[in-house]
Amino acid sequence: MNNCIFCKIASGTIPAYKVFEDENYLAFLDIAPVNPGHVLIIPKKHFVDITETPDEIVEGAITLAKKIGGKIIASKLGEGFNIGINTKTAAGQVVNHFHIHVMPRLPNDKYQLWHGKNYAAAEAEKIVEKLKLEE
Ligand code: 5GP
Ligand code: ZN
């Protein structure tokens, strides 16, 4: 944990361009923005990823992401925004301290979203059983 870059940013050991800070959260500019105004939101406390972060901390972070997204649009840094949470290496998580990306999007910024695949015959029926949640 001592080697965690986002813990160092949270403690002020490493500088960052901060857009919000309170006792639980910090929001700051990503060092390599998808578009200018790309913000990362972190809990100050170290959790490896969303699966290990308490629900109430996740909820507060999502609410902050919504507010920052509104600011992106109001400031015209984006006409829209994507919210991203990369979870584990397979999904592109590089920094193992839970964080939310809020990424400004502009028409013709050349980024693409995922391209969907098709389900094979009878595959969706099996998959949905694996994913059903208890109430
Ligand atoms: P991940 O792939 O883990 O979801 O994204 C990590 C993000 O952290 C990347 O977008 C990367 O540019 C950003 N990042 C990595 N190191 C630093 C840093 O030292 N300062 C800031 N502001 N952002 C960083
Ligand atoms: Zn950390």
Side-chain angles (χ1 to χ4, degrees):
M1 199 184 302
N2 290 335
N3 253 341
C4 172
I5 193 110
F6 287 176
C7 281
K8 287 179 182 164
I9 289 175
S11 68
T13 313
I14 289 179
Y17 291 100
K18 298 175 185 178
V19 300
F20 178 81
E21 182 169 18
D22 68 8
E23 59 176 334
N24 296 316
Y25 299 99
L26 184 63
F28 54 96
L29 298 185
D30 193 298
I31 205 167
V34 155
N35 279 318
H38 179 167
V39 169
L40 299 173
I41 296 159
I42 61 168
K44 287 188 170 175
K45 205 168 158 199
H46 182 92
F47 303 102
V48 168
D49 64 34
I50 191 173
T51 70
E52 299 197 8
T53 306
D55 289 351
E56 61 272 20
I57 302 280
V58 173
E59 287 160 14
I62 294 279
T63 300
L64 260 178
K66 177 182 171 182
K67 285 184 184 161
I68 288 165
K71 196 81 175 171
I72 284 170
I73 289 176
S75 66
K76 297 193 172 10
L77 280 164
E79 284 189 18
F81 58 89
N82 290 113
I83 291 175
I85 303 173
N86 301 330
T87 306
K88 305 191 186 293
T89 307
Q93 184 174 5
V94 174
V95 178
N96 292 321
H97 179 133
F98 169 56
H99 54 281
I100 301 181
H101 296 258
V102 189
M103 297 164 280
R105 294 299 306 275
L106 294 158
N108 306 317
D109 64 13
K110 302 285 198 288
Y111 292 113
Q112 295 188 340
L113 295 181
W114 297 273
H115 295 287
K117 303 172 185 172
N118 294 315
Y119 280 113
E123 191 185 6
E125 286 85 339
K126 288 181 194 149
I127 299 294
V128 73
E129 292 305 324
K130 293 187 184 186
L131 293 179
K132 277 184 180 164
L133 297 174
E134 306 292 321
E135 260 185 47

